Amino acid sequence: MGKVNKPVVAWVSGTCARLFKSEVQFGHAGAKSGGEMESAQAKNQALKDAGAAVPTSYEAFETAIKETFEKLVEEGKISSVKEFTPPQIPEDLNFAIKSGKVRAPTHIISTISDDRGEEPCYAGVPMSSIVEQGYGVGDVISLLWFKRSLPRYCTHFIEICIMLCADHGPCVSGAHNTIVTARAGKDLVSSLVSGLLTIGPRFGGAIDDAARYFKDAYDRGLTPYEFVESMKKKGIRVPGIGHRIKRGDNRDKRVELLQQFAHTHFPSVKYMEYAVQVETYTLSKANNLVLNVDGAIGSLFLDLLAGSGMFSKQEIDEIVGIGYLNGLFVLARSIGLIGHTFDQKRLKQPLYRHPWEDVLYTK
Amino acid sequence: MGKVNKPVVAWVSGTCARLFKSEVQFGHAGAKSGGEMESAQAKNQALKDAGAAVPTSYEAFETAIKETFEKLVEEGKISSVKEFTPPQIPEDLNFAIKSGKVRAPTHIISTISDDRGEEPCYAGVPMSSIVEQGYGVGDVISLLWFKRSLPRYCTHFIEICIMLCADHGPCVSGAHNTIVTARAGKDLVSSLVSGLLTIGPRFGGAIDDAARYFKDAYDRGLTPYEFVESMKKKGIRVPGIGHRIKRGDNRDKRVELLQQFAHTHFPSVKYMEYAVQVETYTLSKANNLVLNVDGAIGSLFLDLLAGSGMFSKQEIDEIVGIGYLNGLFVLARSIGLIGHTFDQKRLKQPLYRHPWEDVLYTK
Amino acid sequence: MGKVNKPVVAWVSGTCARLFKSEVQFGHAGAKSGGEMESAQAKNQALKDAGAAVPTSYEAFETAIKETFEKLVEEGKISSVKEFTPPQIPEDLNFAIKSGKVRAPTHIISTISDDRGEEPCYAGVPMSSIVEQGYGVGDVISLLWFKRSLPRYCTHFIEICIMLCADHGPCVSGAHNTIVTARAGKDLVSSLVSGLLTIGPRFGGAIDDAARYFKDAYDRGLTPYEFVESMKKKGIRVPGIGHRIKRGDNRDKRVELLQQFAHTHFPSVKYMEYAVQVETYTLSKANNLVLNVDGAIGSLFLDLLAGSGMFSKQEIDEIVGIGYLNGLFVLARSIGLIGHTFDQKRLKQPLYRHPWEDVLYTK
Amino acid sequence: MGKVNKPVVAWVSGTCARLFKSEVQFGHAGAKSGGEMESAQAKNQALKDAGAAVPTSYEAFETAIKETFEKLVEEGKISSVKEFTPPQIPEDLNFAIKSGKVRAPTHIISTISDDRGEEPCYAGVPMSSIVEQGYGVGDVISLLWFKRSLPRYCTHFIEICIMLCADHGPCVSGAHNTIVTARAGKDLVSSLVSGLLTIGPRFGGAIDDAARYFKDAYDRGLTPYEFVESMKKKGIRVPGIGHRIKRGDNRDKRVELLQQFAHTHFPSVKYMEYAVQVETYTLSKANNLVLNVDGAIGSLFLDLLAGSGMFSKQEIDEIVGIGYLNGLFVLARSIGLIGHTFDQKRLKQPLYRHPWEDVLYTK
């Protein structure tokens, strides 16, 4: 590297470190300032010794540059160029928005949570309040899904539903796909997701369907007979009715517990009672056509919405239309699917390959 | 269609319906038997009238077939073929397995839940017990993920973590992708899943990382100084330390609440105390390097595992290795992502298109 | 460890290695047999020296065991137990199935490919034939989706559609979500999938919709006027019509190229001609209501199916009903989404966070 | 409704329609202007008749308002309010950016395609060129993944790889999960995605692994012996070597075809030759340790990159590091997974439930 012939004006910042007794950090938290040789003073002195124009303080830097420039012009080494008006420096967007000069349309609307303050809020409730006031998981669901704080019996009911739907063994579509993906050595999220994607009309959809059909039938004032027979005509099985093992004389204990809970806490159980009337009719047809857990949850969820007095009719229609119960099932079953992923990883299971013998290869 | 010249032996079943006073259903529950003209008797009579050989009962059916056959042979209309030994009829697989004749290897192993009985069991506990005994969501997670019933303070702590991680506004990767997918008109599961897939090393991974690094450092007996400086050398930021807003003199209330809870209920908080010592050191470097919620959850989860006395050292290593905390974050955030999906659907938001102006198109 | 007092009958296998001149491998391919000291002979001799009963060959092993046993009985050291009939050893399932003793129902049916032979077959065509006969990607799609070998002009058309739909920039829903996921540090599959999940009614669905509506209108004999006006009444925009930039006097070159290709190769373009008639009517309403690429692909796909003469009317209905064109779009766009993932990884882009300023936080 | 006492100044726009001979549309394309009675002129006349102040043209509207206002002030019916300076109207963001007043940082960078013009470009090449110049699917992949136009023999090789990897029967993880999801009644994207998520280290990862390991071994100058034995020490099976059926004396035809193609077209096949040398060594160990399709594709992909002369060493490392071959497998297998979805939907298969008998329920 050759010698620098151009005049150099330089300044090493950090001289104020001298003014502090103890060691002071500049820049990255971890930078450790060194001894005398590394001080800014020493560096400035070295630059001066090497011929650079070094001002006595940062404030004098501008003047030093100006003097050096004017000296070069005077000596004829450089010639001054004509001043021109610098182009307007564009303002920073956020500053321009705040000062009202620019209006930027927002592209996203969100109403359930706000993370801009010191701590996130769910429907206006700060996270720390949620902990301090002893809220449960059901209450957080209430805030984030329903945007209001439902009474504790409602959020407790939501929690019971989550517990009842959390898992249903390794053979159902969702758990099966999750197990296969976990055994392919994939990460937790991929395994969970591969299983979740099977949830829909045929797997997990019965709760949501039960709520929809019971609501429609009840609201339209159909008798159980009219409801069941109209479903039969359309070729649709009544969702929420029917069980593999349970019979009219051997009821599902889970259904009974849900009913007990509702009788104790809910102000009204009209939808559930309607579902029971439907069951009475279907039991007259076959002994296994009992009200099952899906039907109990579906009808009681309608009672929760209607009985709480916190939703308009239109809001209830919207909630049922969008399929909130589907969300409840999806959330609940995630517990099981994550559990199955952990299970396979603990067991160090190898890649799954479906046995050829179980496949009918045809045309 | 021409006349049938071949002899017909026929029988319409259902004649026993006569023996019942009231109407009896055969076949599908909804089939309604008709009047006299539709009775089995009437149909058999009609067949007889048309020239068919109709036995007097189902039991006589075989004889009628035999007699008709022999008559045809006698008349020389057909000739008898030689009897041959019929091939063995293969047994039904499930029957053969039960009778011990065949052993079919199983291709899947599962240890967390069993759905073969009257009601599903989680780690051996029947669902109805879970409701009756007032279990919470955390207890079900305990059963399905840890395969044991952890003390209530542990499962309560898990619930608090879920509530704190349930959402963090619409701008983070997960919520954003979920919002975009919901606005593309896709179903709940697709919307949720599209967001979940962003969870990993950079989004949501800090809790798991905090647990891993704190565990490793504590177990290896590193001083906070050694730990932080060794991380710096590796160029890794200490997970669980640092906050956008919070400072040493303005602590995060959520962290304080978690610490309070642990001090009250946990038999030991050694990992959390280690994390606090690490914080003391990092705060000496910069005022915003406080212990954050991720760090608090990560270290306290280690105390939960170690303090409960229900896990062997090897089991704890496995749990941390597999990444259970990641599962906790994924489950928790699902609540928020489902909430964002409902939110966008309620708001009837149209297809999102990222603004061209926000993209630097380059080579 | 104490001395063994019980009589030992033992045999180390591997003595036949002696019979081979060169080194022979037993067990894992990498096991290297050692020197004399490690030979089976040496080990057997050592056992004999230590007092074990060692036979002279593997065949004599059984006799040695019997003799030792009888000697022990004779000496009164042990007493003989009564022989009992051993339980039937269950047969291996696959052997039992092959020998016709058991029938195992298959749970899965598959008709498109077979991987049981030396090399996989697509719809009966072995993979090597596909390479040897110079098939293209479109031909493989033809075999796996349509289960028949469509003429080359058809599979070429499919390839052109794939190329045209492969990408549409980084701002559309799919690419955007893929970019966000890639920037969260997630793997290729997760990134791709997060984007794919946005494909549906509002993003990518126009091609499929165009085919459906044009088919329905044409098959029902609606005039363009009747078709467009009936859509308007239902509040549905005619899919495949309309462009952001293109106008009646500035046609989309891609549409023209597709039309040219079809005019040259397709035996009939009746659906496309119908689409053009619809365009003529919509252009009389507004100059930007031109036939776009979606409409061109959708209508020409109908011509492909109808014109090839290889599908029954019912099969065509099924293909349109199932939504094969959706599959074509999904496959094509996967090329772009994978490309965007690679792009972000090459660019080492950090975690994306949507800017707060772009969100309207409301209630 | 009472009588309006306040003075009304009104104007119905659309009077210029008079100036056109034929019917002219205003507003929505479908609005049909009516007869004389509905004309703007008629409406203005009716307003005038009813006592409103109706100007003679739109331009006179402002004056009419002013006159009416001044008349009311004059009559003392209203009093004038003091003029005040209106607040600055914020400028529209895009306008402010274009005029250089505001600088908005971009949050996304993208380099592979541009959709802002008349038609999208892939790496600078407009879509219509792609069709006109007879490009194939491999060429589009070349543009979108490699950002350059690779020679036709390269893109042809890519297409062959896609065809060979498109499907491998219904029993592998990916197809299996896709089939299960399709049978759960889910849409095409969900079905495809559920299968894709199983692709990773154990399923589909061998091609990518083969490329990585062969590259590393060759570049480091390891002999086949050193390479294979070092893998054995690490407990890793050599990827790309080994076949279920194929043997040293019964080679895989697909491998031979790939090799033939490369020998004919590639300027160099050094990596593939190295793979063959590795095979020679492994065949000396066991007769089934042949170079398989994965190994052939993996090594030849390295030859493609190195031989084309279009990539720097660093770029090749990046491509192998990011895992482009994984992308190729994912894209290829999507063809098969979409095919399996269509297959199950055609077959109208019901919900899959894994048989209990195939599960070992344990603790």
Side-chain angles (χ1 to χ4, degrees):
Chain A
M1 294 198 286
K3 203 165 173 273
V4 177
N5 287 315
K6 287 180 186 147
V8 169
V9 192
W11 175 252
V12 176
S13 64
T15 51
C16 67
R18 265 273 161 96
L19 308 178
F20 297 95
K21 272 187 197 152
S22 67
E23 201 171 78
V24 169
Q25 309 278 343
F26 291 92
H28 186 273
K32 296 216 145 195
S33 68
E36 185 70 10
M37 283 299 289
E38 292 183 28
S39 74
Q41 277 83 356
K43 287 171 188 159
N44 276 324
Q45 188 57 49
L47 283 164
K48 205 166 188 173
D49 295 347
V54 177
T56 52
S57 71
Y58 179 68
E59 285 69 30
F61 201 10
E62 195 187 341
T63 314
I65 295 170
K66 198 174 178 229
E67 286 172 359
T68 307
F69 171 74
E70 284 170 352
K71 201 175 144 214
L72 288 169
V73 173
E74 220 165 87
E75 294 170 2
K77 289 191 179 154
I78 61 171
S79 59
S80 186
V81 292
K82 211 194 149 190
E83 285 282 334
F84 69 100
T85 316
Q88 186 191 13
I89 294 170
E91 244 180 310
D92 176 69
L93 174 62
N94 289 339
F95 184 82
I97 289 172
K98 269 175 206 151
S99 61
K101 286 185 198 159
V102 167
R103 98 184 144 254
T106 55
H107 293 91
I108 286 182
I109 305 180
S110 183
T111 79
I112 62 167
S113 72
D114 193 333
D115 57 317
R116 292 171 300 174
E118 294 223 344
E119 51 170 320
C121 293
Y122 297 160
V125 182
M127 268 193 190
S128 56
S129 298
I130 286 165
V131 178
E132 279 181 307
Q133 291 172 23
Y135 277 33
V137 172
D139 298 297
V140 163
I141 291 171
S142 166
L143 290 173
L144 288 172
W145 295 8
F146 298 96
K147 295 173 61 182
R148 68 205 77 191
S149 208
L150 289 168
R152 182 66 193 140
Y153 77 83
C154 291
T155 62
H156 192 182
F157 177 77
I158 287 173
E159 288 170 7
I160 293 174
C161 294
I162 289 176
M163 291 189 275
L164 289 179
C165 297
D167 200 57
H168 213 275
C171 290
V172 295
S173 303
H176 182 67
N177 273 17
T178 288
I179 288 169
V180 170
T181 309
R183 285 177 56 169
K186 296 300 300 283
D187 61 289
L188 170 68
V189 174
S190 298
S191 304
L192 164 64
V193 158
S194 186
L196 284 178
L197 286 161
T198 65
I199 298 178
R202 297 185 192 164
F203 170 54
I207 304 177
D208 210 48
D209 281 352
R212 274 174 221 273
Y213 282 111
F214 282 138
K215 181 169 193 306
D216 179 67
Y218 179 88
D219 291 0
R220 280 167 53 215
L222 297 186
T223 66
Y225 171 84
E226 288 167 339
F227 171 46
V228 175
E229 296 301 326
S230 74
M231 293 292 277
K232 216 178 73 188
K233 257 174 221 154
K234 284 181 249 167
I236 306 171
R237 294 178 56 178
V238 180
I241 297 286
H243 197 277
R244 183 172 54 85
I245 293 172
K246 294 298 174 183
R247 294 286 175 274
D249 47 7
N250 171 23
R251 294 297 173 85
D252 190 327
K253 211 173 174 184
R254 292 167 291 169
V255 172
E256 286 175 357
L257 289 166
L258 284 169
Q259 289 175 328
Q260 255 172 47
F261 181 89
H263 275 301
T264 311
H265 298 291
F266 282 33
S268 154
V269 290
K270 61 183 186 184
Y271 285 104
M272 195 262 277
E273 273 166 3
Y274 181 69
V276 169
Q277 287 166 29
V278 170
E279 179 195 39
T280 306
Y281 177 67
T282 54
L283 277 177
S284 76
K285 297 195 147 207
N287 199 24
N288 68 333
L289 295 181
V290 292
L291 183 67
N292 58 31
V293 177
D294 296 342
I297 292 178
S299 57
L300 282 170
F301 184 68
L302 297 172
D303 285 320
L304 181 155
L305 293 175
S308 72
M310 296 178 79
F311 299 93
S312 70
K313 208 195 150 307
Q314 197 192 331
E315 283 174 328
I316 293 176
D317 286 344
E318 196 178 55
I319 286 168
V320 174
I322 287 175
Y324 273 50
L325 275 172
N326 208 8
L328 208 59
F329 181 85
V330 166
L331 177 65
R333 191 51 58 94
S334 296
I335 298 175
L337 298 181
I338 293 172
H340 283 291
T341 306
F342 291 156
D343 196 28
Q344 298 302 310
K345 289 192 181 289
R346 271 192 313 254
L347 294 165
K348 295 190 176 45
Q349 290 294 288
L351 184 64
Y352 177 81
R353 212 187 174 287
H354 200 73
W356 274 330
E357 295 75 29
D358 195 45
V359 178
L360 174 62
Y361 287 87
T362 181
K363 285 197 181 172
Chain B
M1 293 197 285
K3 206 168 170 263
V4 178
N5 287 315
K6 289 182 184 141
V8 170
V9 192
W11 175 252
V12 175
S13 63
T15 50
C16 66
R18 265 273 161 95
L19 307 178
F20 298 95
K21 273 188 197 153
S22 67
E23 199 171 77
V24 170
Q25 309 278 343
F26 292 91
H28 187 272
K32 295 217 148 193
S33 70
E36 185 70 10
M37 285 297 291
E38 292 182 29
S39 76
Q41 277 83 353
K43 286 171 187 157
N44 276 325
Q45 190 56 49
L47 283 163
K48 207 169 189 171
D49 294 348
V54 177
T56 52
S57 71
Y58 180 67
E59 286 67 32
F61 201 10
E62 196 189 342
T63 314
I65 295 169
K66 201 178 175 227
E67 286 173 359
T68 307
F69 171 74
E70 284 169 352
K71 202 176 143 213
L72 287 167
V73 173
E74 220 167 84
E75 294 172 0
K77 290 192 178 153
I78 60 172
S79 60
S80 185
V81 293
K82 212 193 148 190
E83 284 281 336
F84 69 101
T85 319
Q88 187 191 13
I89 294 169
E91 245 180 310
D92 176 70
L93 174 62
N94 289 339
F95 184 82
I97 289 172
K98 270 175 207 151
S99 62
K101 286 185 196 156
V102 166
R103 95 180 149 258
T106 56
H107 293 92
I108 284 181
I109 307 180
S110 182
T111 78
I112 61 167
S113 73
D114 193 333
D115 58 318
R116 292 169 301 174
E118 295 224 341
E119 52 170 321
C121 293
Y122 298 160
V125 182
M127 267 194 193
S128 55
S129 298
I130 286 165
V131 178
E132 281 181 305
Q133 291 172 23
Y135 277 34
V137 172
D139 298 297
V140 163
I141 291 171
S142 166
L143 291 172
L144 288 171
W145 295 9
F146 299 96
K147 295 173 61 181
R148 67 205 78 191
S149 208
L150 290 168
R152 181 66 194 138
Y153 78 82
C154 292
T155 62
H156 191 181
F157 177 77
I158 288 173
E159 287 170 8
I160 292 174
C161 295
I162 289 175
M163 292 188 276
L164 289 179
C165 298
D167 200 56
H168 212 277
C171 290
V172 295
S173 303
H176 182 66
N177 274 17
T178 288
I179 287 170
V180 170
T181 309
R183 286 178 55 169
K186 296 300 300 282
D187 61 288
L188 170 68
V189 174
S190 298
S191 304
L192 164 64
V193 158
S194 186
L196 285 177
L197 286 161
T198 64
I199 298 178
R202 296 186 191 162
F203 170 55
I207 304 177
D208 210 49
D209 280 352
R212 273 174 221 272
Y213 282 110
F214 283 137
K215 181 170 193 306
D216 179 69
Y218 179 88
D219 291 359
R220 282 166 53 213
L222 297 186
T223 65
Y225 170 84
E226 289 167 340
F227 171 46
V228 175
E229 297 302 325
S230 74
M231 292 293 276
K232 216 176 74 188
K233 257 174 220 154
K234 285 181 249 167
I236 305 171
R237 291 177 58 178
V238 180
I241 297 285
H243 197 279
R244 183 173 54 86
I245 291 173
K246 294 297 173 181
R247 295 285 175 274
D249 46 7
N250 171 23
R251 295 296 173 84
D252 189 328
K253 211 172 173 185
R254 291 167 291 170
V255 172
E256 285 176 357
L257 290 166
L258 284 169
Q259 289 175 327
Q260 255 173 45
F261 181 90
H263 275 302
T264 312
H265 299 289
F266 282 32
S268 153
V269 290
K270 62 183 184 182
Y271 285 105
M272 195 262 277
E273 273 166 3
Y274 181 69
V276 169
Q277 287 166 30
V278 170
E279 181 196 37
T280 305
Y281 178 67
T282 54
L283 275 177
S284 76
K285 297 195 148 208
N287 198 26
N288 68 334
L289 294 181
V290 293
L291 183 67
N292 59 31
V293 177
D294 297 341
I297 293 178
S299 58
L300 283 170
F301 184 68
L302 297 172
D303 285 319
L304 182 155
L305 293 174
S308 73
M310 297 178 78
F311 299 94
S312 70
K313 206 194 150 309
Q314 198 191 331
E315 284 174 328
I316 293 176
D317 286 345
E318 198 179 55
I319 286 168
V320 174
I322 287 176
Y324 273 50
L325 275 172
N326 208 7
L328 208 58
F329 181 83
V330 166
L331 177 65
R333 191 50 57 94
S334 297
I335 298 175
L337 298 181
I338 294 172
H340 282 291
T341 306
F342 291 156
D343 195 29
Q344 298 301 310
K345 289 192 181 290
R346 270 192 314 254
L347 294 166
K348 296 190 176 42
Q349 290 294 289
L351 184 64
Y352 177 81
R353 213 189 172 285
H354 200 73
W356 274 331
E357 294 77 28
D358 194 46
V359 178
L360 174 63
Y361 286 87
T362 180
K363 285 199 181 174
Chain C
M1 294 197 286
K3 206 169 170 264
V4 178
N5 288 314
K6 288 183 184 141
V8 170
V9 192
W11 175 252
V12 175
S13 64
T15 51
C16 67
R18 265 274 161 92
L19 307 177
F20 298 95
K21 274 187 195 153
S22 68
E23 200 173 77
V24 169
Q25 309 278 342
F26 291 92
H28 186 273
K32 295 216 147 195
S33 70
E36 186 70 12
M37 284 297 290
E38 293 183 27
S39 76
Q41 276 84 355
K43 286 171 188 160
N44 277 322
Q45 189 57 47
L47 284 164
K48 204 167 191 173
D49 295 348
V54 178
T56 52
S57 72
Y58 180 67
E59 285 68 31
F61 200 10
E62 194 188 340
T63 314
I65 294 168
K66 199 176 176 228
E67 286 173 358
T68 307
F69 171 73
E70 284 169 352
K71 202 175 143 212
L72 287 167
V73 173
E74 220 165 87
E75 295 172 1
K77 289 190 179 155
I78 61 173
S79 59
S80 185
V81 293
K82 211 194 147 190
E83 284 282 335
F84 70 100
T85 318
Q88 186 192 15
I89 294 170
E91 244 179 311
D92 177 71
L93 174 61
N94 289 339
F95 185 82
I97 289 172
K98 270 175 205 150
S99 62
K101 286 185 195 156
V102 166
R103 92 179 151 260
T106 55
H107 294 92
I108 285 181
I109 307 180
S110 182
T111 79
I112 62 168
S113 72
D114 194 332
D115 57 318
R116 291 170 303 174
E118 295 223 342
E119 51 170 320
C121 293
Y122 299 160
V125 182
M127 267 194 192
S128 56
S129 298
I130 286 165
V131 178
E132 279 181 307
Q133 290 172 23
Y135 277 33
V137 172
D139 298 297
V140 163
I141 291 172
S142 166
L143 290 172
L144 287 172
W145 295 8
F146 299 97
K147 296 173 60 182
R148 67 205 78 192
S149 207
L150 290 168
R152 182 65 194 139
Y153 77 84
C154 292
T155 62
H156 192 182
F157 177 77
I158 288 172
E159 288 170 7
I160 292 174
C161 294
I162 289 175
M163 292 189 275
L164 289 179
C165 298
D167 199 57
H168 213 274
C171 290
V172 294
S173 303
H176 182 67
N177 273 17
T178 288
I179 288 170
V180 169
T181 309
R183 286 178 56 170
K186 297 299 301 281
D187 61 287
L188 170 68
V189 174
S190 298
S191 305
L192 164 64
V193 158
S194 186
L196 284 177
L197 286 161
T198 64
I199 298 177
R202 297 186 191 162
F203 170 55
I207 304 178
D208 211 48
D209 280 351
R212 273 173 222 272
Y213 283 110
F214 283 138
K215 182 170 192 305
D216 179 68
Y218 179 88
D219 291 0
R220 281 166 53 213
L222 297 187
T223 65
Y225 171 84
E226 288 168 340
F227 171 46
V228 175
E229 296 302 326
S230 74
M231 292 293 277
K232 216 177 74 188
K233 257 175 223 154
K234 284 180 249 166
I236 307 170
R237 293 177 57 178
V238 180
I241 296 284
H243 197 278
R244 183 172 53 85
I245 292 173
K246 294 297 176 183
R247 295 285 175 275
D249 47 6
N250 170 24
R251 294 297 173 82
D252 190 328
K253 211 171 173 185
R254 293 167 289 170
V255 172
E256 285 176 357
L257 290 166
L258 284 169
Q259 289 174 327
Q260 255 173 46
F261 181 89
H263 274 302
T264 311
H265 298 290
F266 281 32
S268 153
V269 291
K270 62 182 184 183
Y271 286 105
M272 195 262 277
E273 274 166 1
Y274 181 69
V276 169
Q277 286 165 31
V278 169
E279 180 195 38
T280 305
Y281 177 66
T282 54
L283 276 177
S284 76
K285 297 194 148 206
N287 198 25
N288 67 334
L289 295 181
V290 292
L291 183 66
N292 59 30
V293 177
D294 297 341
I297 292 178
S299 58
L300 283 170
F301 184 69
L302 296 172
D303 285 320
L304 182 155
L305 293 174
S308 73
M310 296 179 80
F311 299 94
S312 70
K313 207 195 149 308
Q314 199 192 330
E315 284 174 327
I316 292 176
D317 287 343
E318 197 179 55
I319 286 168
V320 174
I322 287 176
Y324 274 50
L325 275 172
N326 208 7
L328 209 58
F329 181 84
V330 166
L331 177 65
R333 190 52 56 95
S334 296
I335 298 175
L337 298 182
I338 294 171
H340 283 290
T341 306
F342 291 156
D343 195 28
Q344 298 301 311
K345 291 193 181 288
R346 270 192 314 253
L347 294 165
K348 295 189 178 43
Q349 289 294 289
L351 184 64
Y352 177 82
R353 213 188 173 287
H354 200 73
W356 274 330
E357 294 76 30
D358 195 45
V359 178
L360 173 63
Y361 287 86
T362 181
K363 285 199 182 174
Chain D
M1 292 197 286
K3 204 166 172 269
V4 178
N5 288 314
K6 287 179 186 149
V8 170
V9 191
W11 175 252
V12 176
S13 63
T15 50
C16 67
R18 265 273 161 96
L19 308 178
F20 298 96
K21 271 188 199 153
S22 67
E23 199 170 79
V24 170
Q25 309 278 343
F26 291 92
H28 187 274
K32 296 218 144 193
S33 70
E36 186 71 10
M37 284 299 289
E38 293 183 27
S39 75
Q41 276 84 354
K43 286 170 187 158
N44 276 324
Q45 188 58 47
L47 283 164
K48 206 166 188 173
D49 293 349
V54 178
T56 51
S57 71
Y58 180 67
E59 285 69 30
F61 201 9
E62 194 188 342
T63 314
I65 294 170
K66 199 175 179 231
E67 285 173 358
T68 306
F69 171 73
E70 284 169 352
K71 201 175 143 214
L72 288 168
V73 173
E74 221 166 86
E75 294 172 1
K77 287 189 180 157
I78 60 174
S79 59
S80 185
V81 293
K82 210 192 151 192
E83 285 281 335
F84 68 100
T85 317
Q88 187 191 14
I89 294 169
E91 244 179 310
D92 176 70
L93 174 62
N94 289 340
F95 185 82
I97 290 172
K98 271 176 206 150
S99 61
K101 286 186 196 156
V102 166
R103 91 180 151 258
T106 56
H107 294 92
I108 286 181
I109 306 180
S110 182
T111 79
I112 62 168
S113 73
D114 194 332
D115 57 318
R116 292 171 300 174
E118 295 223 342
E119 52 170 321
C121 293
Y122 299 160
V125 182
M127 269 193 190
S128 55
S129 298
I130 286 165
V131 177
E132 279 181 307
Q133 290 172 24
Y135 277 34
V137 172
D139 297 297
V140 163
I141 290 171
S142 166
L143 291 172
L144 288 172
W145 296 7
F146 299 97
K147 295 173 60 181
R148 67 205 79 191
S149 208
L150 289 168
R152 181 67 193 139
Y153 77 83
C154 291
T155 61
H156 192 183
F157 176 77
I158 288 172
E159 287 170 8
I160 292 174
C161 294
I162 289 175
M163 291 188 276
L164 289 179
C165 297
D167 200 56
H168 213 276
C171 291
V172 295
S173 303
H176 181 66
N177 273 17
T178 287
I179 288 170
V180 170
T181 309
R183 286 178 55 170
K186 296 301 300 281
D187 60 289
L188 169 68
V189 174
S190 298
S191 305
L192 163 64
V193 158
S194 186
L196 284 177
L197 286 161
T198 65
I199 298 178
R202 296 184 192 165
F203 169 55
I207 304 176
D208 210 49
D209 281 352
R212 273 174 221 273
Y213 283 111
F214 282 138
K215 180 169 194 305
D216 179 68
Y218 179 88
D219 290 359
R220 281 167 52 214
L222 298 186
T223 65
Y225 171 84
E226 289 167 340
F227 171 46
V228 175
E229 296 301 327
S230 74
M231 292 293 277
K232 218 178 73 189
K233 257 174 219 153
K234 284 181 250 167
I236 306 171
R237 293 178 57 179
V238 180
I241 297 286
H243 198 277
R244 183 173 54 87
I245 293 172
K246 294 298 175 183
R247 295 287 175 274
D249 47 6
N250 171 23
R251 295 297 174 84
D252 190 327
K253 211 171 173 185
R254 293 168 289 170
V255 173
E256 285 176 356
L257 290 166
L258 283 169
Q259 290 174 327
Q260 255 173 46
F261 182 90
H263 275 301
T264 311
H265 299 289
F266 281 32
S268 154
V269 291
K270 62 182 186 183
Y271 285 104
M272 195 262 278
E273 274 166 1
Y274 181 69
V276 170
Q277 287 167 31
V278 170
E279 180 196 37
T280 305
Y281 177 67
T282 54
L283 277 176
S284 77
K285 297 195 148 209
N287 199 25
N288 67 335
L289 295 180
V290 292
L291 183 67
N292 58 31
V293 177
D294 296 341
I297 293 178
S299 57
L300 283 171
F301 184 69
L302 296 172
D303 285 321
L304 181 154
L305 293 174
S308 73
M310 295 178 79
F311 299 94
S312 70
K313 207 196 149 308
Q314 197 191 331
E315 283 174 329
I316 292 176
D317 286 344
E318 197 178 55
I319 286 168
V320 174
I322 287 176
Y324 274 50
L325 275 171
N326 208 7
L328 209 58
F329 181 84
V330 166
L331 177 66
R333 190 51 56 94
S334 296
I335 298 175
L337 298 181
I338 294 172
H340 283 291
T341 306
F342 291 156
D343 196 27
Q344 298 301 311
K345 289 192 181 291
R346 271 192 313 255
L347 294 165
K348 297 191 177 41
Q349 290 295 288
L351 185 63
Y352 177 81
R353 213 188 172 286
H354 200 73
W356 275 330
E357 295 75 29
D358 194 45
V359 178
L360 174 62
Y361 287 86
T362 181
K363 285 197 182 175

